[in-house]
Amino acid sequence: DVKVTQSSRYLVKRTGEKVFLECVQDMDHENMFWYRQDPGLGLRLIYFSYDVKMKEKGDIPEGYSVSREKKERFSLILESASTNQTSMYLCASSASLGSYEQYFGPGTRLTVT
Amino acid sequence: AQSVTQLDSQVPVFEEAPVELRCNYSSSVSVYLFWYVQYPNQGLQLLLKYLSGSTLVESINGFEAEFNKSQTSFHLRKPSVHISDTAEYFCAVRPPGGSRLTFGEGTQLTVNP
Protein backbone atom coordinates (compact mmCIF):
# COMPACT_ATOMS: atom_id res chain seq x y z
CA ASP A 1 0.00 0.00 0.00
CA VAL A 2 1.16 3.49 -0.81
CA LYS A 3 1.57 5.55 2.28
CA VAL A 4 1.71 9.33 2.39
CA THR A 5 2.32 10.76 5.83
CA GLN A 6 2.17 14.33 7.05
CA SER A 7 4.11 15.49 10.07
CA SER A 8 1.20 16.93 12.05
CA ARG A 9 -2.58 16.47 12.05
CA TYR A 10 -3.18 19.76 13.86
CA LEU A 11 -0.98 22.82 14.11
CA VAL A 12 -1.52 26.21 15.73
CA LYS A 13 0.83 29.05 14.86
CA ARG A 14 0.94 32.79 15.42
CA THR A 15 0.79 35.45 12.73
CA GLY A 16 4.24 36.14 11.34
CA GLU A 17 5.76 32.79 12.29
CA LYS A 18 7.62 30.66 9.76
CA VAL A 19 5.78 27.36 9.37
CA PHE A 20 7.02 24.08 7.92
CA LEU A 21 4.62 21.33 6.82
CA GLU A 22 6.32 18.05 6.00
CA CYS A 23 5.15 15.26 3.74
CA VAL A 24 6.79 11.87 3.18
CA GLN A 25 5.82 9.12 0.72
CA ASP A 26 7.21 5.61 0.77
CA MET A 27 6.59 4.40 -2.80
CA ASP A 28 9.38 6.10 -4.74
CA HIS A 29 6.90 8.37 -6.52
CA GLU A 30 8.19 11.01 -8.93
CA ASN A 31 5.48 13.62 -8.37
CA MET A 32 4.39 15.29 -5.16
CA PHE A 33 1.72 17.93 -4.61
CA TRP A 34 0.55 20.37 -1.98
CA TYR A 35 -3.10 21.45 -1.87
CA ARG A 36 -5.17 23.52 0.47
CA GLN A 37 -8.75 22.54 1.14
CA ASP A 38 -11.33 25.14 2.13
CA PRO A 39 -15.11 24.69 2.51
CA GLY A 40 -16.92 25.55 -0.69
CA LEU A 41 -13.69 25.89 -2.66
CA GLY A 42 -12.61 22.26 -2.93
CA LEU A 43 -8.90 21.56 -3.31
CA ARG A 44 -6.61 24.14 -4.82
CA LEU A 45 -3.08 23.34 -5.94
CA ILE A 46 -0.35 25.37 -4.25
CA TYR A 47 2.83 23.81 -5.67
CA PHE A 48 3.92 20.54 -7.15
CA SER A 49 7.23 18.83 -7.83
CA TYR A 50 8.01 16.33 -10.58
CA ASP A 51 11.56 15.54 -9.47
CA VAL A 52 14.06 16.27 -6.73
CA LYS A 53 14.84 19.99 -6.57
CA MET A 54 12.23 20.68 -9.28
CA LYS A 55 9.04 22.58 -8.53
CA GLU A 56 6.24 24.33 -10.32
CA LYS A 57 3.70 26.84 -9.10
CA GLY A 58 0.13 25.76 -8.86
CA ASP A 59 -2.93 27.96 -8.83
CA ILE A 60 -2.36 29.73 -5.50
CA PRO A 61 1.40 29.89 -4.74
CA GLU A 62 1.43 33.36 -3.18
CA GLY A 63 2.68 33.30 0.40
CA TYR A 64 4.10 29.78 0.09
CA SER A 65 7.33 28.12 -0.95
CA VAL A 66 8.38 24.49 -1.19
CA SER A 67 11.46 22.34 -0.87
CA ARG A 68 12.22 18.90 -2.25
CA GLU A 69 15.75 17.84 -1.37
CA LYS A 70 15.00 14.11 -1.34
CA LYS A 71 12.63 12.16 -3.54
CA GLU A 72 10.44 10.96 -0.67
CA ARG A 73 10.02 14.29 1.12
CA PHE A 74 8.20 17.45 0.05
CA SER A 75 7.97 20.41 2.40
CA LEU A 76 5.58 23.34 2.29
CA ILE A 77 6.85 26.56 3.88
CA LEU A 78 4.83 29.54 4.99
CA GLU A 79 7.46 32.25 5.25
CA SER A 80 5.32 34.54 7.41
CA ALA A 81 2.04 32.96 8.39
CA SER A 82 -1.12 35.00 8.10
CA THR A 83 -4.65 34.36 9.34
CA ASN A 84 -5.91 33.82 5.77
CA GLN A 85 -3.63 30.78 5.58
CA THR A 86 -5.73 29.00 8.19
CA SER A 87 -6.82 25.91 6.28
CA MET A 88 -6.52 22.16 5.77
CA TYR A 89 -3.35 21.27 3.87
CA LEU A 90 -3.21 18.03 1.91
CA CYS A 91 -0.14 16.42 0.42
CA ALA A 92 -0.35 13.91 -2.44
CA SER A 93 1.98 11.87 -4.61
CA SER A 94 1.76 10.05 -7.92
CA ALA A 95 4.10 7.60 -9.58
CA SER A 96 4.85 9.56 -12.75
CA LEU A 97 3.49 12.29 -14.99
CA GLY A 98 1.21 9.83 -16.76
CA SER A 99 -0.14 8.19 -13.61
CA TYR A 100 -3.88 8.23 -13.19
CA GLU A 101 -4.09 8.24 -9.43
CA GLN A 102 -2.84 10.61 -6.78
CA TYR A 103 -2.40 9.23 -3.25
CA PHE A 104 -3.24 11.60 -0.44
CA GLY A 105 -2.02 12.04 3.10
CA PRO A 106 -4.47 12.57 5.99
CA GLY A 107 -4.02 16.33 6.01
CA THR A 108 -2.74 18.98 8.42
CA ARG A 109 -5.25 21.40 9.85
CA LEU A 110 -3.34 24.65 10.36
CA THR A 111 -4.75 27.47 12.46
CA VAL A 112 -2.98 30.83 12.39
CA THR A 113 -3.97 33.14 15.23
CA ALA B 1 -7.68 25.49 -18.80
CA GLN B 2 -10.26 23.30 -17.15
CA SER B 3 -12.91 23.95 -14.55
CA VAL B 4 -15.22 21.69 -12.57
CA THR B 5 -18.56 22.53 -11.00
CA GLN B 6 -20.29 20.33 -8.48
CA LEU B 7 -23.86 21.44 -8.47
CA ASP B 8 -24.77 20.45 -4.90
CA SER B 9 -22.73 21.33 -1.85
CA GLN B 10 -24.78 19.11 0.49
CA VAL B 11 -26.89 16.05 -0.27
CA PRO B 12 -28.78 14.48 2.65
CA VAL B 13 -30.47 11.14 1.99
CA PHE B 14 -31.93 8.26 3.93
CA GLU B 15 -30.26 4.87 4.09
CA GLU B 16 -31.10 2.57 1.15
CA ALA B 17 -32.28 5.50 -0.99
CA PRO B 18 -30.71 6.19 -4.40
CA VAL B 19 -28.39 9.15 -4.78
CA GLU B 20 -26.90 11.21 -7.59
CA LEU B 21 -24.04 13.67 -7.12
CA ARG B 22 -23.74 16.01 -10.06
CA CYS B 23 -20.54 17.15 -11.76
CA ASN B 24 -20.10 19.33 -14.82
CA TYR B 25 -16.80 20.31 -16.35
CA SER B 26 -15.47 22.78 -18.88
CA SER B 27 -12.41 22.16 -21.01
CA SER B 28 -11.08 23.12 -24.43
CA VAL B 29 -9.33 19.75 -24.72
CA SER B 30 -10.27 16.19 -23.95
CA VAL B 31 -9.95 15.23 -20.29
CA TYR B 32 -9.74 12.31 -17.94
CA LEU B 33 -12.44 12.38 -15.24
CA PHE B 34 -12.23 11.24 -11.64
CA TRP B 35 -14.29 10.94 -8.50
CA TYR B 36 -12.43 11.03 -5.18
CA VAL B 37 -13.98 10.36 -1.75
CA GLN B 38 -12.89 11.80 1.60
CA TYR B 39 -14.17 9.99 4.68
CA PRO B 40 -14.19 11.95 7.96
CA ASN B 41 -10.70 12.82 9.19
CA GLN B 42 -8.99 11.11 6.27
CA GLY B 43 -7.28 12.09 3.04
CA LEU B 44 -8.85 11.63 -0.37
CA GLN B 45 -9.10 8.23 -2.07
CA LEU B 46 -9.77 7.53 -5.73
CA LEU B 47 -13.28 6.15 -6.15
CA LEU B 48 -13.43 5.72 -9.93
CA LYS B 49 -12.08 7.15 -13.15
CA TYR B 50 -12.98 7.58 -16.80
CA LEU B 51 -10.10 7.52 -19.26
CA SER B 52 -11.63 6.23 -22.50
CA GLY B 53 -13.88 3.49 -23.83
CA SER B 54 -17.18 2.66 -22.14
CA THR B 55 -18.80 5.79 -20.81
CA LEU B 56 -20.12 3.98 -17.72
CA VAL B 57 -17.54 3.23 -15.05
CA GLU B 58 -18.06 1.45 -11.75
CA SER B 59 -16.37 1.30 -8.36
CA ILE B 60 -16.00 -1.74 -6.14
CA ASN B 61 -18.47 -0.41 -3.55
CA GLY B 62 -21.46 0.05 -5.85
CA PHE B 63 -20.99 3.58 -7.16
CA GLU B 64 -21.08 4.28 -10.88
CA ALA B 65 -20.52 7.35 -13.03
CA GLU B 66 -21.41 8.07 -16.62
CA PHE B 67 -19.40 10.29 -18.91
CA ASN B 68 -21.66 12.42 -21.10
CA LYS B 69 -19.57 14.32 -23.61
CA SER B 70 -22.42 16.35 -25.09
CA GLN B 71 -23.49 17.60 -21.68
CA THR B 72 -19.91 17.73 -20.32
CA SER B 73 -21.04 15.88 -17.23
CA PHE B 74 -19.77 13.03 -15.07
CA HIS B 75 -22.49 12.41 -12.48
CA LEU B 76 -21.96 9.88 -9.69
CA ARG B 77 -24.79 7.52 -8.75
CA LYS B 78 -25.54 4.74 -6.32
CA PRO B 79 -28.87 2.87 -6.32
CA SER B 80 -28.90 2.23 -2.55
CA VAL B 81 -26.67 4.07 -0.08
CA HIS B 82 -25.39 2.96 3.32
CA ILE B 83 -24.53 4.93 6.43
CA SER B 84 -20.87 4.22 5.67
CA ASP B 85 -21.12 6.18 2.41
CA THR B 86 -21.28 9.41 4.42
CA ALA B 87 -18.31 11.40 3.14
CA GLU B 88 -17.32 14.32 0.97
CA TYR B 89 -17.06 13.55 -2.73
CA PHE B 90 -14.88 15.46 -5.16
CA CYS B 91 -15.06 15.44 -8.94
CA ALA B 92 -11.79 16.17 -10.76
CA VAL B 93 -10.46 16.45 -14.30
CA ARG B 94 -7.06 16.24 -15.89
CA PRO B 95 -5.86 16.50 -19.50
CA PRO B 96 -4.39 13.22 -20.76
CA GLY B 97 -0.89 14.63 -21.12
CA GLY B 98 -0.78 16.43 -17.79
CA SER B 99 -0.36 15.56 -14.14
CA ARG B 100 -2.34 18.37 -12.51
CA LEU B 101 -5.84 17.65 -11.27
CA THR B 102 -8.51 20.36 -11.20
CA PHE B 103 -11.05 19.68 -8.44
CA GLY B 104 -14.64 20.72 -7.96
CA GLU B 105 -15.93 22.32 -4.78
CA GLY B 106 -16.97 19.04 -3.21
CA THR B 107 -20.35 17.54 -2.26
CA GLN B 108 -21.03 16.42 1.31
CA LEU B 109 -23.16 13.27 1.21
CA THR B 110 -24.85 12.52 4.52
CA VAL B 111 -26.73 9.25 4.84
CA ASN B 112 -29.25 9.21 7.67
CA PRO B 113 -30.81 6.12 9.28
Side-chain angles (χ1 to χ4, degrees), chain B residues 25-38:
Chain B
Y25 70 93
S26 172
S27 178
S28 57
V29 299
S30 62
V31 292
Y32 293 155
L33 295 146
F34 305 84
W35 276 98
Y36 278 80
V37 58
Q38 185 179 32

PDB file of all heavy atoms in Angstrom, chain B residues 25-38:
ATOM      1  N   TYR B  25     -18.147  19.791 -16.154  1.00  0.00           N
ATOM      2  CA  TYR B  25     -16.804  20.308 -16.350  1.00  0.00           C
ATOM      3  C   TYR B  25     -16.757  21.159 -17.616  1.00  0.00           C
ATOM      4  O   TYR B  25     -17.632  21.088 -18.475  1.00  0.00           O
ATOM      5  CB  TYR B  25     -15.787  19.163 -16.437  1.00  0.00           C
ATOM      6  CG  TYR B  25     -15.912  18.354 -17.700  1.00  0.00           C
ATOM      7  CD1 TYR B  25     -15.153  18.645 -18.827  1.00  0.00           C
ATOM      8  CD2 TYR B  25     -16.800  17.282 -17.760  1.00  0.00           C
ATOM      9  CE1 TYR B  25     -15.285  17.909 -19.998  1.00  0.00           C
ATOM     10  CE2 TYR B  25     -16.945  16.547 -18.926  1.00  0.00           C
ATOM     11  CZ  TYR B  25     -16.191  16.862 -20.034  1.00  0.00           C
ATOM     12  OH  TYR B  25     -16.332  16.137 -21.179  1.00  0.00           O
ATOM     13  N   SER B  26     -15.705  21.950 -17.697  1.00  0.00           N
ATOM     14  CA  SER B  26     -15.470  22.778 -18.878  1.00  0.00           C
ATOM     15  C   SER B  26     -14.015  22.613 -19.272  1.00  0.00           C
ATOM     16  O   SER B  26     -13.122  22.700 -18.420  1.00  0.00           O
ATOM     17  CB  SER B  26     -15.767  24.247 -18.562  1.00  0.00           C
ATOM     18  OG  SER B  26     -15.380  25.069 -19.634  1.00  0.00           O
ATOM     19  N   SER B  27     -13.785  22.331 -20.550  1.00  0.00           N
ATOM     20  CA  SER B  27     -12.409  22.160 -21.015  1.00  0.00           C
ATOM     21  C   SER B  27     -12.364  22.339 -22.518  1.00  0.00           C
ATOM     22  O   SER B  27     -13.268  21.912 -23.226  1.00  0.00           O
ATOM     23  CB  SER B  27     -11.880  20.779 -20.635  1.00  0.00           C
ATOM     24  OG  SER B  27     -10.563  20.605 -21.139  1.00  0.00           O
ATOM     25  N   SER B  28     -11.268  22.938 -22.987  1.00  0.00           N
ATOM     26  CA  SER B  28     -11.085  23.119 -24.431  1.00  0.00           C
ATOM     27  C   SER B  28     -10.418  21.902 -25.064  1.00  0.00           C
ATOM     28  O   SER B  28     -10.315  21.819 -26.286  1.00  0.00           O
ATOM     29  CB  SER B  28     -10.246  24.371 -24.691  1.00  0.00           C
ATOM     30  OG  SER B  28      -9.009  24.275 -24.018  1.00  0.00           O
ATOM     31  N   VAL B  29      -9.971  20.976 -24.225  1.00  0.00           N
ATOM     32  CA  VAL B  29      -9.329  19.750 -24.715  1.00  0.00           C
ATOM     33  C   VAL B  29     -10.011  18.557 -24.055  1.00  0.00           C
ATOM     34  O   VAL B  29     -10.772  18.701 -23.104  1.00  0.00           O
ATOM     35  CB  VAL B  29      -7.817  19.736 -24.406  1.00  0.00           C
ATOM     36  CG1 VAL B  29      -7.117  20.906 -25.084  1.00  0.00           C
ATOM     37  CG2 VAL B  29      -7.581  19.777 -22.905  1.00  0.00           C
ATOM     38  N   SER B  30      -9.705  17.386 -24.574  1.00  0.00           N
ATOM     39  CA  SER B  30     -10.269  16.186 -23.947  1.00  0.00           C
ATOM     40  C   SER B  30      -9.663  16.024 -22.554  1.00  0.00           C
ATOM     41  O   SER B  30      -8.563  16.501 -22.283  1.00  0.00           O
ATOM     42  CB  SER B  30      -9.986  14.954 -24.793  1.00  0.00           C
ATOM     43  OG  SER B  30      -8.594  14.744 -24.896  1.00  0.00           O
ATOM     44  N   VAL B  31     -10.404  15.379 -21.674  1.00  0.00           N
ATOM     45  CA  VAL B  31      -9.948  15.228 -20.292  1.00  0.00           C
ATOM     46  C   VAL B  31     -10.200  13.813 -19.789  1.00  0.00           C
ATOM     47  O   VAL B  31     -11.039  13.086 -20.320  1.00  0.00           O
ATOM     48  CB  VAL B  31     -10.661  16.216 -19.338  1.00  0.00           C
ATOM     49  CG1 VAL B  31     -10.238  17.650 -19.615  1.00  0.00           C
ATOM     50  CG2 VAL B  31     -12.175  16.061 -19.423  1.00  0.00           C
ATOM     51  N   TYR B  32      -9.427  13.452 -18.770  1.00  0.00           N
ATOM     52  CA  TYR B  32      -9.744  12.312 -17.942  1.00  0.00           C
ATOM     53  C   TYR B  32     -10.599  12.831 -16.791  1.00  0.00           C
ATOM     54  O   TYR B  32     -10.410  13.960 -16.327  1.00  0.00           O
ATOM     55  CB  TYR B  32      -8.481  11.663 -17.391  1.00  0.00           C
ATOM     56  CG  TYR B  32      -7.587  11.003 -18.405  1.00  0.00           C
ATOM     57  CD1 TYR B  32      -6.226  10.842 -18.146  1.00  0.00           C
ATOM     58  CD2 TYR B  32      -8.075  10.503 -19.611  1.00  0.00           C
ATOM     59  CE1 TYR B  32      -5.384  10.219 -19.047  1.00  0.00           C
ATOM     60  CE2 TYR B  32      -7.245   9.879 -20.515  1.00  0.00           C
ATOM     61  CZ  TYR B  32      -5.894   9.747 -20.237  1.00  0.00           C
ATOM     62  OH  TYR B  32      -5.072   9.117 -21.142  1.00  0.00           O
ATOM     63  N   LEU B  33     -11.500  11.985 -16.287  1.00  0.00           N
ATOM     64  CA  LEU B  33     -12.437  12.385 -15.240  1.00  0.00           C
ATOM     65  C   LEU B  33     -12.325  11.447 -14.049  1.00  0.00           C
ATOM     66  O   LEU B  33     -12.159  10.230 -14.220  1.00  0.00           O
ATOM     67  CB  LEU B  33     -13.868  12.373 -15.782  1.00  0.00           C
ATOM     68  CG  LEU B  33     -14.121  13.402 -16.883  1.00  0.00           C
ATOM     69  CD1 LEU B  33     -15.103  12.880 -17.900  1.00  0.00           C
ATOM     70  CD2 LEU B  33     -14.637  14.695 -16.261  1.00  0.00           C
ATOM     71  N   PHE B  34     -12.442  12.000 -12.865  1.00  0.00           N
ATOM     72  CA  PHE B  34     -12.234  11.236 -11.638  1.00  0.00           C
ATOM     73  C   PHE B  34     -13.285  11.639 -10.596  1.00  0.00           C
ATOM     74  O   PHE B  34     -13.747  12.772 -10.558  1.00  0.00           O
ATOM     75  CB  PHE B  34     -10.846  11.543 -11.037  1.00  0.00           C
ATOM     76  CG  PHE B  34      -9.699  11.314 -11.979  1.00  0.00           C
ATOM     77  CD1 PHE B  34      -9.330  12.290 -12.884  1.00  0.00           C
ATOM     78  CD2 PHE B  34      -8.983  10.130 -11.942  1.00  0.00           C
ATOM     79  CE1 PHE B  34      -8.269  12.096 -13.764  1.00  0.00           C
ATOM     80  CE2 PHE B  34      -7.919   9.923 -12.806  1.00  0.00           C
ATOM     81  CZ  PHE B  34      -7.561  10.904 -13.723  1.00  0.00           C
ATOM     82  N   TRP B  35     -13.597  10.659  -9.740  1.00  0.00           N
ATOM     83  CA  TRP B  35     -14.289  10.940  -8.495  1.00  0.00           C
ATOM     84  C   TRP B  35     -13.401  10.450  -7.351  1.00  0.00           C
ATOM     85  O   TRP B  35     -12.956   9.301  -7.357  1.00  0.00           O
ATOM     86  CB  TRP B  35     -15.642  10.237  -8.409  1.00  0.00           C
ATOM     87  CG  TRP B  35     -16.745  10.982  -9.076  1.00  0.00           C
ATOM     88  CD1 TRP B  35     -17.255  10.765 -10.339  1.00  0.00           C
ATOM     89  CD2 TRP B  35     -17.509  12.075  -8.544  1.00  0.00           C
ATOM     90  NE1 TRP B  35     -18.274  11.644 -10.597  1.00  0.00           N
ATOM     91  CE2 TRP B  35     -18.449  12.456  -9.515  1.00  0.00           C
ATOM     92  CE3 TRP B  35     -17.495  12.757  -7.319  1.00  0.00           C
ATOM     93  CZ2 TRP B  35     -19.369  13.497  -9.314  1.00  0.00           C
ATOM     94  CZ3 TRP B  35     -18.404  13.784  -7.120  1.00  0.00           C
ATOM     95  CH2 TRP B  35     -19.321  14.153  -8.112  1.00  0.00           C
ATOM     96  N   TYR B  36     -13.155  11.360  -6.395  1.00  0.00           N
ATOM     97  CA  TYR B  36     -12.434  11.026  -5.178  1.00  0.00           C
ATOM     98  C   TYR B  36     -13.408  11.125  -4.009  1.00  0.00           C
ATOM     99  O   TYR B  36     -14.331  11.937  -4.025  1.00  0.00           O
ATOM    100  CB  TYR B  36     -11.272  11.997  -4.938  1.00  0.00           C
ATOM    101  CG  TYR B  36     -10.014  11.682  -5.710  1.00  0.00           C
ATOM    102  CD1 TYR B  36      -9.891  12.040  -7.056  1.00  0.00           C
ATOM    103  CD2 TYR B  36      -8.935  11.045  -5.100  1.00  0.00           C
ATOM    104  CE1 TYR B  36      -8.731  11.757  -7.763  1.00  0.00           C
ATOM    105  CE2 TYR B  36      -7.772  10.762  -5.796  1.00  0.00           C
ATOM    106  CZ  TYR B  36      -7.684  11.117  -7.124  1.00  0.00           C
ATOM    107  OH  TYR B  36      -6.524  10.833  -7.816  1.00  0.00           O
ATOM    108  N   VAL B  37     -13.151  10.334  -2.942  1.00  0.00           N
ATOM    109  CA  VAL B  37     -13.981  10.363  -1.748  1.00  0.00           C
ATOM    110  C   VAL B  37     -13.088  10.652  -0.538  1.00  0.00           C
ATOM    111  O   VAL B  37     -11.943  10.184  -0.463  1.00  0.00           O
ATOM    112  CB  VAL B  37     -14.755   9.037  -1.561  1.00  0.00           C
ATOM    113  CG1 VAL B  37     -13.815   7.847  -1.466  1.00  0.00           C
ATOM    114  CG2 VAL B  37     -15.656   9.098  -0.325  1.00  0.00           C
ATOM    115  N   GLN B  38     -13.607  11.466   0.366  1.00  0.00           N
ATOM    116  CA  GLN B  38     -12.889  11.797   1.600  1.00  0.00           C
ATOM    117  C   GLN B  38     -13.781  11.439   2.782  1.00  0.00           C
ATOM    118  O   GLN B  38     -14.750  12.142   3.069  1.00  0.00           O
ATOM    119  CB  GLN B  38     -12.514  13.278   1.634  1.00  0.00           C
ATOM    120  CG  GLN B  38     -11.673  13.668   2.835  1.00  0.00           C
ATOM    121  CD  GLN B  38     -11.310  15.146   2.827  1.00  0.00           C
ATOM    122  OE1 GLN B  38     -12.068  15.986   2.356  1.00  0.00           O
ATOM    123  NE2 GLN B  38     -10.131  15.485   3.344  1.00  0.00           N
TER     124      GLN B  38
END
